Amino acid sequence: MGSLRIFVTSDVYESKRTVGSFRTSDPNVKDWSGNSFCVSQSGVGLTVRRWKGEYKYTLRCMDSFTYQRLERFPKTFALRVVFLPSACLNWCNLNPGSSRLEYILIHALERDDLSSLQPELEGEFRPVVEDNATLMKGGCALTSPVSTLVELHTCHQKSNVGKKSERKIWNRVHVMNKVAQRKVSKEFSIRKVGSSKYIRNNGGFEAVLSAITPESSSKQCNFILKLLEQRNDEKAIHFFEWMKSNGKLKNNVAAYKLALRALARKEDWVGANLLLQEMTLASDFELDSKTFNQLIYACAKRRLAMWGAKWFRLMLQSGVQPNVSTIGMLMGLYQKTTNLSEAEFTFSFMRSCNLQCVNAYSAMVTIYTRLGLYNKSEEIICLMDKDGVLPNFENWLVRLNAYSQRGKLDEAESVLKSMTEAGFIPNIVAYNTLITGYGRMSNTKAAEETFQCLKGAGLEPDETTYRSMIEGFGRNDNYKRTLWYYEQLKSAGFQPNSSNFHTMVNIQARHDDEKGIIQTLRDMKNAGCQYSSMLSSLLQAYKKAGRVEVIPSILQNSFYEDILLDPTACSILVVAYVQKSLFVEALQVLKDKKWEDSKFEENLYHLLICSFKEENQYENAIKTFHQMPKSEQNPNMQITCTMIGIYCAMNKFSQAENLYLMLKDSGISFDMIAYSVIVRMYMKAGSLRDACLVLDKMEKQNDIVPDTFLFRDMLRIYQQCSLLEKLANAYYWILRSGVTWDEQMYICVINCCGRALPIDEVSRLFDEMLQCGYACNTITFNVMLDIYGKAGVLRKARRVFSMARKQGMADVITYNTIIAAYGQSKDFKSMRSIVHRMEISGFPVSLEAYNCMLDAYGKEDLTEEFNDILRKMKKASCSSDHYTYNIMMNIYGKKGWIEEVSQVLAELKRHGLEPDLYSYNTLIKAYGVAGMVEEAVNVVQEMRTKGVEPDRVTYTNIIAALQRNEKFLEAIKWSLWMKQMGI
C-alpha cells in the first residue's frame, strides 16, 4: 500500500519562463501546505479503459509521444487526476518537450468501488460521472489556479499474479510513494486537521489554512471555517467571503450558520440581516428557529434587549416558529434588563402558541416584583397553575420572593410548604427570602423563628442572612438585637454592606450612642468606604435625629483628620454646617483643611459667603471674606461681585465702589455678571452718570452680550438721563442679541424707548405685545396715549384709552393724557366729554387737566371758555402751579395785556412761588409785544440775579422784542452776544 499526492500552485506558471528543463525540488517552490514538489514542463496524458472486467491504465507523455504500458492491476487500484495546464509531474525521467496537453481524462470510481479503499480515504472520493471515463477537450483553457493533483492509491490484494512486469510496475509505484512521502505534504484529512497535534506538526494553523485552494471541497472549507469561527470572527468572515467568491456556498447551509454566528458575536446586525436574506435567496434554505436562536443568544449574552426584540419580531415576520429555547433566552434577557413591554409581548406570544417555558413565568414574576407590580406577579403565578406548568426550583424561589416582597408572608410560608411537598428541599436562599420579607414587615419574631428553622435544617447562616436580620431589627428600632446581629456578622467573618452601615449609623444616632457610632465609622473606614460617603451618612442620620451639633465631637474622635485631607469631604461638611447655621464650625473647617487647591477653596468660601447673604447675615459674610486668602493681583471676580452686592444691601456704597476699583485696577476682563452687579450698584446709589460710564466701557468690550436684566437696567438708566440716542441704540442692540422677549421686556422697552423710537416701531411693539397675550400696565397705556396724542393719532389713542378703561388700568394720568391729546388737536368736544367721564369715574378734575384745557382754549383765543375754566378752578379750590401761571402769562402776553400779566406774576409771588425759566421767557415775550423793551431787558438782569440762567429762548425773545420796536442796533448786539456765548 502506498500513497502519492502532489500539489502544484500558481507558482508553477512561472516555470514557462525558464529556459530548458525545469526539474527541481527547491524548498522555495512550495504548495499551500508548505511542502516541496517536483515538476516539469512536460505534458501528461492518461487513458483509462475497462477491458474484460479489469482496468487498464496507460500513461502518455505528450512530449515524446512515448507510451508506457501499465500492466493489469487489481480492481481495487484507484486513480483520479485533477489537472492544471502547463504544469504536471515528471514521471519516468522523460525528456521535457514543448508539446502541450490537449486532453484531460478524469476517471470517477463507482460508489461500490469506494468500500475497498483504506479507512482514512473514505468519503474523500465522489463520482464525477456515472460511466467509467470521460474525455474532456480543451484542458489548456482552464484559468483558475487549481492545483495539479495526481493520486495513486494501491490496496494490494493477495493474488497469484506473479508476472515479472507486475512486480516491476509495483516496485516503481512503491518507490514513487516513498519519494512522495518525503517531499510532499501529508494528506488533507478532515478528521486530522482539527487536532492540535496535526496543526503543530504541519507548521501551525496558518500553514494548514494555506493548504486550502479553490479546488478544495466544500466540506474541507467548512472545516476551516469552523476552526476560524472558534478562533477569530474577523478572519472567519473573510474566509466566508473567499468561499463565496469561489463558489463554495451553494446549498452550503453549514457555512452560512457559522458565518452568522461570527457576525452575531461581532454585533454586526446589519450584516447578519443581509446574510439571512442571502441564505433564503441564494441557497434556497428555509430559516428555522436554530438560525435565529444563535442571534438571540448573542444578544442575551451581551444584554442587548433592543436587538433581541428586533430579531424575535423578524423571526415572526419570516414565519419561523420559536421554540422553548427562543422564549427562554428572550425572557432571561428581558429579566436582566427589566424590559417590561417586550417581556409581556413575548410571554403573551408564548402562551398563544401553547409553548411551556417555566423560565418565562419566572422572568415575568421577577420583573413585576422588581417594579413593584405585585398584583401582576400574582396573576402570572395563577396563570402558571392554570396552564399546568410545573414549577422548577428557581420558580419556587421566585414565587417565594414575590410574596415576601409584598408582605404576604402567609402565602410565602404556603409556597415554602408546597415547595417541600413537591420534593424540593429549601436552601439558604429560600430562608433568606422569608427573613427579608419578615424584616420588611418589621415582624422580627417571625424572622428569628425562621432564622432558627434555618439552623435546624442543618444550614449555616450566610452574610445575606445576617444582613437581612440587621435590616429587620433596625427597621423595628430594636437597637440591642440589631447590634447583636451586627456583631455576629463580623464574628462570622463576613463584611457588612453599605445598607448595614446606613442602618447602624441611623439607629445609633437615634439612640444617642456616640461610642457605638464611632466604632461603626471605624468599621466603614476599614471596609474601604469613601470619607465623603461616610460623612454623608453621618450627617443625614443626625439631621433626622435633630442633633447635628454633636457631629464635631464625633468627628474629632473618628476621622476628622482624614476629612481635612479630602476636599470633597470638606465641602460636604462645610455645606452641612452652613445649612444648620453652624457658621463658626464651617469657618473652622476651612481654616484647618490640609489640602491645597486654590480654586476649590475659593469655591467653598464663595458658597459660605452666598449662604450668609441668603440668610441676611451680612456681617458674617464680611468676616468670611476677610478671612479667606486673597490675591490683589488676581482677585476672585465672582466673590468680589458677591461682596459688592452685600455692601450695596447694607448701603455701604463706598466700600462696594472700592472693591469695583480694585477689580478694575487688577486688569481682569469683566464678564456680563460683573457689569450687571456694578451697574446695579451705581443705580442704587443714584450715581447714574457713573453707571453710564460703566455701560460705555461694557459696550467697547465686544465679547459681552447683556442678558434680559442688564438690558432693562440700561434702558432705565438712559431713560432717566434722557439719553434718547442711547435708548435707540440699546433697543436695536436688544433686537440683534436675540434675547427672549417676555412681558417685562416689552413693558420696559415701551416705557423707556417710547419717545426715542419712531412711532411706527413703538406701535408695532405694542401690537406684538398684545398678540403675545401679555398684559399692559397703567404706565404702558399712558406712554402709548402720550405718544399717539402728541403725534395726533387720535384713533389709536382712543383705542388705547378704551383698553385701559376696560382693564381697569386707567388712572388720573390716563385721563390727563387723553385730555391733553384732544386739546392739542383742538377737539374741544371730545375733551369736555373726557372731563365729564373722568368725574363720573370718581376722579376729581386734576390741576393737570385744567392746565391742558386752559392751554387749549387760550391758544385758540376762546376767552369765554378760558375764563370759565379759571372760575371752575377757583370753585374747586384747585391751587395753581407754575404751569398754570405760565399759561396765563403766555395767553395774556400774546394779547399785550401787560396789566393782566403783572397781576398773574404778583399772584404767583403771593402764593410763595418764584418765576422759573419759562415764566421769565414768557414775561420777556409779553413785554416785547407790549413795546416795553427796557422792562424786557430788566427781566434778563433779574433772571441772572435770581440765579436762573438764560437759554436760547430767552435771547431769541429779547432780539424779537428789540426788532419789533425798531431797535435793530441793539438786536444785532444781542445776536453777536449769542454767537459769542455759543448759544
Side-chain angles (χ1 to χ4, degrees):
M1 180 192 70
S3 176
L4 171 64
R5 168 178 268 186
I6 299 177
F7 294 87
V8 181
T9 66
S10 57
D11 298 333
V12 177
Y13 286 105
E14 299 298 326
S15 65
K16 290 183 179 181
R17 304 178 184 177
T18 307
V19 179
S21 174
F22 178 71
R23 296 171 54 197
T24 179
S25 59
D26 189 335
N28 294 326
V29 184
K30 297 180 180 295
D31 60 29
W32 282 17
S33 58
N35 297 307
S36 302
F37 54 86
C38 182
V39 298
S40 76
Q41 291 173 301
S42 303
V44 174
L46 293 171
T47 302
V48 182
R49 59 188 176 88
R50 188 168 183 174
W51 182 69
K52 293 184 179 181
E54 295 181 353
Y55 286 97
K56 189 167 290 188
Y57 303 86
T58 302
L59 174 65
R60 183 179 57 164
C61 298
M62 300 295 292
D63 51 3
S64 60
F65 297 93
T66 303
Y67 289 85
Q68 297 286 342
R69 181 176 179 80
L70 300 178
E71 296 296 332
R72 299 173 183 173
F73 277 80
K75 188 178 180 180
T76 53
F77 179 87
L79 176 65
R80 185 176 67 169
V81 175
V82 180
F83 186 74
L84 178 69
S86 305
C88 57
L89 299 176
N90 180 19
W91 278 1
C92 306
N93 295 324
L94 297 176
N95 293 326
S98 59
S99 302
R100 297 177 61 84
L101 180 65
E102 296 181 356
Y103 295 90
I104 298 177
L105 188 67
I106 300 178
H107 172 68
L109 292 177
E110 295 177 356
R111 295 180 184 274
D112 296 337
D113 298 330
L114 297 174
S115 60
S116 60
L117 299 178
Q118 290 294 330
E120 67 270 13
L121 303 178
E122 289 181 7
E124 210 169 287
F125 291 102
R126 291 291 183 270
V128 179
V129 292
E130 295 298 330
D131 56 343
N132 292 330
T134 300
L135 190 63
M136 298 181 63
K137 177 71 174 177
C140 292
L142 294 175
T143 58
S144 60
V146 293
S147 302
T148 300
L149 172 61
V150 177
E151 296 177 298
L152 293 176
H153 300 286
T154 59
C155 301
H156 181 67
Q157 286 185 339
K158 291 183 180 181
S159 63
N160 296 324
V161 180
K163 295 183 179 180
K164 186 176 182 179
S165 59
E166 286 182 314
R167 286 194 298 271
K168 288 182 179 179
I169 194 66
W170 175 257
N171 291 334
R172 185 177 296 170
V173 173
H174 187 66
V175 171
M176 287 191 296
N177 286 340
K178 286 186 176 180
V179 173
Q181 289 174 359
R182 289 195 305 268
K183 292 187 177 182
V184 302
S185 66
K186 296 183 178 180
E187 179 186 359
F188 185 90
S189 174
I190 293 177
R191 293 185 179 182
K192 293 180 180 179
V193 76
S195 66
S196 59
K197 183 177 180 181
Y198 178 86
I199 294 173
R200 185 171 59 253
N201 293 340
N202 287 272
F205 181 75
E206 295 297 331
V208 175
L209 177 62
S210 65
I212 293 297
T213 69
E215 283 297 322
S216 301
S217 66
S218 297
K219 193 167 187 179
Q220 292 170 341
C221 292
N222 284 1
F223 238 162
I224 293 297
L225 180 61
K226 184 176 182 179
L227 293 175
L228 286 173
E229 183 266 335
Q230 294 172 355
R231 288 167 170 79
N232 189 305
D233 294 330
E234 193 70 35
K235 291 183 178 180
I237 298 303
H238 285 310
F239 186 75
F240 177 80
E241 294 297 329
W242 180 88
M243 290 176 65
K244 183 189 297 184
S245 63
N246 287 276
K248 304 296 181 183
L249 296 182
K250 187 175 182 181
N251 297 323
N252 193 348
V253 177
Y256 278 105
K257 288 187 176 181
L258 290 172
L260 193 64
R261 191 184 305 167
L263 288 172
R265 281 197 297 269
K266 287 180 61 180
E267 298 184 21
D268 185 0
W269 309 120
V270 176
N273 191 20
L274 294 175
L275 194 61
L276 286 176
Q277 298 176 16
E278 184 179 332
M279 289 173 68
T280 56
L281 296 177
S283 300
D284 296 329
F285 171 69
E286 292 186 3
L287 300 177
D288 57 6
S289 59
K290 292 182 179 179
T291 305
F292 284 97
N293 281 357
Q294 59 186 2
L295 294 171
I296 295 174
Y297 173 76
C299 296
K301 193 174 182 180
R302 292 167 174 78
R303 296 194 176 191
L304 304 174
M306 181 186 71
W307 276 106
K310 286 184 177 180
W311 288 121
F312 182 61
R313 280 175 165 73
L314 181 60
M315 182 180 186
L316 300 181
Q317 293 172 7
S318 302
V320 179
Q321 180 69 22
N323 56 19
V324 175
S325 298
T326 311
I327 301 299
M329 287 188 294
L330 284 171
M331 294 302 293
L333 172 62
Y334 298 147
Q335 176 182 334
K336 292 176 183 177
T337 57
T338 318
N339 194 326
L340 179 59
S341 59
E342 293 296 339
E344 289 179 332
F345 172 78
T346 306
F347 183 78
S348 176
F349 180 83
M350 179 198 73
R351 296 189 70 245
S352 66
C353 294
N354 295 322
L355 293 175
Q356 290 187 347
C357 179
V358 64
N359 292 335
Y361 292 93
S362 301
M364 284 307 302
V365 173
T366 302
I367 292 173
Y368 282 135
T369 303
R370 187 180 298 160
L371 296 176
L373 304 174
Y374 302 112
N375 290 330
K376 293 282 188 179
S377 300
E378 295 183 23
E379 289 178 8
I380 298 298
I381 295 173
C382 295
L383 280 178
M384 185 174 178
D385 296 335
K386 180 181 177 181
D387 295 342
V389 180
L390 296 178
N392 57 11
F393 188 76
E394 179 186 358
N395 189 265
W396 283 116
L397 294 179
V398 167
R399 293 185 177 198
L400 189 65
N401 182 60
Y403 288 121
S404 298
Q405 290 288 330
R406 191 173 188 180
K408 290 188 173 183
L409 280 309
D410 293 337
E411 287 82 351
E413 292 174 353
S414 176
V415 169
L416 188 64
K417 182 179 179 182
S418 300
M419 178 181 176
T420 306
E421 293 174 352
F424 296 98
I425 300 176
N427 61 359
I428 189 69
V429 176
Y431 285 109
N432 288 345
T433 303
L434 268 179
I435 291 173
T436 302
Y438 287 127
R440 287 178 179 273
M441 300 303 295
S442 299
N443 191 348
T444 54
K445 182 178 179 181
E448 284 203 294
E449 291 176 356
T450 307
F451 183 82
Q452 296 302 325
C453 290
L454 181 152
K455 302 181 84 174
L459 299 174
E460 286 296 327
D462 62 0
E463 56 185 338
T464 304
T465 312
Y466 287 115
R467 289 172 178 174
S468 299
M469 296 299 292
I470 293 170
E471 298 305 309
F473 281 100
R475 189 176 287 107
N476 201 32
D477 201 25
N478 189 333
Y479 179 46
K480 183 177 180 181
R481 296 299 293 170
T482 303
L483 183 61
W484 187 85
Y485 279 107
Y486 179 75
E487 295 297 334
Q488 288 295 313
L489 173 69
K490 293 193 295 182
S491 62
F494 299 124
Q495 181 70 49
N497 60 7
S498 58
S499 179
N500 299 147
F501 288 133
H502 180 76
T503 299
M504 292 303 300
V505 169
N506 277 276
I507 198 171
Q508 287 167 340
R510 288 196 299 268
H511 289 267
D512 196 16
D513 185 3
E514 293 186 11
K515 184 178 180 181
I517 204 167
I518 291 172
Q519 181 59 46
T520 302
L521 292 174
R522 289 173 182 169
D523 294 340
M524 295 174 72
K525 182 179 179 180
N526 294 332
C529 295
Q530 295 182 353
Y531 296 119
S532 57
S533 177
M534 296 167 58
L535 186 59
S536 297
S537 298
L538 183 67
L539 291 170
Q540 186 178 6
Y542 277 91
K543 282 179 183 178
K544 290 180 180 179
R547 300 173 57 248
V548 179
E549 63 277 0
V550 303
I551 287 181
S553 62
I554 294 175
L555 292 178
Q556 288 291 346
N557 295 316
S558 53
F559 61 104
Y560 182 68
E561 294 297 324
D562 298 315
I563 290 176
L564 297 178
L565 297 172
D566 188 351
T568 304
C570 279
S571 65
I572 293 174
L573 188 59
V574 168
V575 172
Y577 283 158
V578 169
Q579 290 176 348
K580 291 299 178 180
S581 299
L582 300 174
F583 300 114
V584 176
E585 289 79 0
L587 287 173
Q588 189 63 40
V589 172
L590 291 176
K591 185 177 180 180
D592 296 340
K593 60 93 182 173
K594 297 180 180 180
W595 43 269
E596 296 295 334
D597 189 339
S598 58
K599 292 295 182 183
F600 197 85
E601 184 179 8
E602 287 178 351
N603 290 337
L604 285 180
Y605 275 107
H606 193 196
L607 172 67
L608 193 56
I609 291 171
C610 291
S611 300
F612 285 128
K613 181 181 178 182
E614 292 175 359
E615 296 291 331
N616 295 327
Q617 298 187 19
Y618 301 132
E619 294 296 338
N620 286 329
I622 295 173
K623 180 180 178 181
T624 304
F625 177 70
H626 288 300
Q627 175 181 310
M628 67 173 289
K630 293 180 289 293
S631 172
E632 294 186 0
Q633 298 297 327
N634 296 299
N636 188 296
M637 186 167 59
Q638 287 75 23
I639 296 178
T640 307
C641 289
T642 302
M643 290 306 302
I644 290 174
I646 291 173
Y647 281 126
C648 289
M650 301 173 69
N651 293 325
K652 295 182 177 181
F653 299 109
S654 59
Q655 291 89 331
E657 188 176 24
N658 290 336
L659 291 178
Y660 160 61
L661 295 176
M662 181 191 68
L663 279 178
K664 184 179 178 181
D665 294 339
S666 67
I668 293 178
S669 180
F670 287 9
D671 59 7
M672 188 270 298
I673 297 176
Y675 280 115
S676 299
V677 171
I678 296 166
V679 168
R680 188 65 59 87
M681 172 190 73
Y682 281 124
M683 284 182 66
K684 191 171 183 180
S687 302
L688 298 183
R689 179 177 172 275
D690 293 322
C692 290
L693 294 176
V694 174
L695 291 175
D696 290 340
K697 179 183 177 183
M698 182 189 72
E699 291 177 8
K700 295 176 182 178
Q701 193 170 332
N702 297 326
D703 59 333
I704 299 297
V705 178
D707 62 356
T708 302
F709 302 99
L710 183 53
F711 271 129
R712 294 208 294 256
D713 288 341
M714 292 171 62
L715 296 177
R716 294 185 184 105
I717 292 171
Y718 292 149
Q719 190 263 341
Q720 293 179 39
C721 294
S722 300
L723 300 174
L724 300 183
E725 184 178 355
K726 288 281 189 182
L727 281 170
N729 293 336
Y731 167 72
Y732 291 113
W733 191 4
I734 292 172
L735 294 182
R736 292 193 305 270
S737 67
V739 298
T740 303
W741 284 66
D742 56 2
E743 182 176 324
Q744 295 300 320
M745 178 60 80
Y746 276 107
I747 291 175
C748 184
V749 169
I750 292 174
N751 293 351
C752 297
C753 301
R755 296 171 181 85
L757 297 176
I759 186 173
D760 292 339
E761 184 67 14
V762 180
S763 181
R764 184 192 66 79
L765 279 176
F766 182 72
D767 293 338
E768 185 178 296
M769 176 183 178
L770 297 178
Q771 290 174 4
C772 292
Y774 297 139
C776 296
N777 58 20
T778 301
I779 297 175
T780 307
F781 281 125
N782 293 341
V783 169
M784 293 307 300
L785 275 175
D786 184 63
I787 293 172
Y788 289 142
K790 290 180 177 177
V793 188
L794 296 182
R795 180 179 61 82
K796 291 187 175 182
R798 281 193 293 266
R799 171 173 167 262
V800 173
F801 179 71
S802 177
M803 291 173 59
R805 289 186 66 249
K806 289 179 180 179
Q807 297 179 19
M809 296 292 179
D811 61 357
V812 173
I813 299 176
T814 309
Y815 284 99
N816 293 339
T817 307
I818 192 66
I819 290 171
Y822 283 126
Q824 183 179 341
S825 300
K826 304 176 184 179
D827 188 352
F828 302 120
K829 181 179 180 181
S830 298
M831 185 178 66
R832 288 191 294 268
S833 175
I834 293 298
V835 173
H836 179 66
R837 184 175 296 175
M838 182 179 182
E839 292 176 332
I840 294 175
S841 300
F843 295 105
V845 181
S846 63
L847 175 62
E848 289 77 11
Y850 284 124
N851 288 338
C852 291
M853 289 187 286
L854 283 174
D855 186 62
Y857 288 134
K859 288 179 179 179
E860 291 300 313
D861 289 335
L862 297 174
T863 307
E864 185 177 350
E865 288 80 358
F866 183 86
N867 294 329
D868 184 55
I869 296 301
L870 290 175
R871 286 193 294 272
K872 288 181 178 180
M873 289 179 66
K874 291 180 179 180
K875 184 177 180 180
S877 301
C878 183
S879 300
S880 301
D881 61 357
H882 270 105
Y883 190 50
T884 310
Y885 292 118
N886 291 338
I887 291 172
M888 294 172 65
M889 285 192 293
N890 186 41
I891 298 302
Y892 295 148
K894 284 182 180 181
K895 295 180 176 294
W897 298 350
I898 296 302
E899 293 183 4
E900 285 77 359
V901 171
S902 300
Q903 292 175 3
V904 172
L905 185 61
E907 186 176 351
L908 182 147
K909 293 180 179 180
R910 191 167 54 248
H911 284 85
L913 300 176
E914 290 292 333
D916 58 5
L917 177 62
Y918 188 84
S919 303
Y920 283 120
N921 289 342
T922 303
L923 191 57
I924 291 171
K925 186 177 180 180
Y927 283 135
V929 172
M932 303 171 64
V933 179
E934 293 182 2
E935 286 77 358
V937 174
N938 293 335
V939 170
V940 176
Q941 295 175 354
E942 183 180 347
M943 288 175 63
R944 291 173 177 168
T945 304
K946 296 292 183 66
V948 179
E949 190 66 28
D951 63 354
R952 186 175 183 279
V953 176
T954 308
Y955 294 112
T956 302
N957 290 344
I958 284 289
I959 294 172
L962 293 171
Q963 289 175 344
R964 181 186 294 271
N965 293 277
E966 298 181 354
K967 294 183 180 287
F968 300 109
L969 183 59
E970 293 295 327
I972 292 173
K973 290 181 179 180
W974 281 95
S975 297
L976 294 175
W977 175 256
M978 287 180 64
K979 290 182 180 180
Q980 188 177 358
M981 295 294 296
I983 300 175

